[in-house]
Amino acid sequence: QVQLVESGGGLVQPGGSLRLSCAASGSIFSINTMGWYRQAPGKQRELVARITSSGTTNYAESVKGRFTISRDNAKYTVYLQMNSLKPEDTAVYYCNANVAVVAGRIVRDDYWGPGTQVTVSS
């Protein structure tokens, strides 16, 4: 009922920047917290950043000062501006959203995008 689509991933040199976007669509009543997670080969999926509907943010310690999360509530879209990228940022980045869905009644659930590859390499 709800789909998330990420965009903006790619290959970038160390020190470079990328901006990820994730747009939600479907039978959406409202979206609560939205966030970005990443998973590198051989590692657990980890939280990168999240933002509440009111704008409160939270970041992983490893990205503080370099990444910025934001959202456009009218567009059901969340962004992740990534600056000063490092090789260790290389991972598949996933969008997550806690969504209140209208389906006869309101049901809340977490949804995930398919992921977008970010590779930081010279």
Side-chain angles (χ1 to χ4, degrees):
Q1 299 297 323
V2 176
Q3 295 80 41
L4 303 179
V5 179
E6 301 110 334
S7 63
L11 175 64
V12 65
Q13 294 183 344
S17 298
L18 284 174
R19 189 188 190 216
L20 305 182
S21 299
C22 173
S25 61
S27 301
I28 299 171
F29 179 79
S30 64
I31 300 180
N32 299 308
T33 301
M34 304 184 79
W36 290 94
Y37 294 72
R38 67 186 182 188
Q39 187 167 23
K43 294 187 177 181
Q44 296 283 338
R45 184 175 298 189
E46 65 175 351
L47 173 69
V48 177
R50 59 188 173 196
I51 183 169
T52 69
S53 59
S54 61
T56 301
T57 59
N58 186 40
Y59 296 92
E61 192 68 29
S62 60
V63 307
K64 285 183 178 178
R66 300 188 297 120
F67 292 9
T68 302
I69 189 170
S70 61
R71 63 190 286 169
D72 185 331
N73 291 327
K75 297 180 179 180
Y76 293 143
T77 300
V78 63
Y79 307 93
L80 185 67
Q81 178 66 47
M82 303 185 292
N83 299 325
S84 302
L85 283 162
K86 305 174 181 179
E88 50 263 45
D89 295 317
T90 296
V92 177
Y93 283 69
Y94 297 92
C95 177
N96 170 264
N98 182 260
V99 183
V101 180
V102 179
R105 67 184 193 281
I106 297 176
V107 178
R108 291 184 177 181
D109 203 358
D110 286 293
Y111 293 85
W112 294 88
T116 184
Q117 178 70 47
V118 172
T119 302
V120 184
S121 176
S122 59

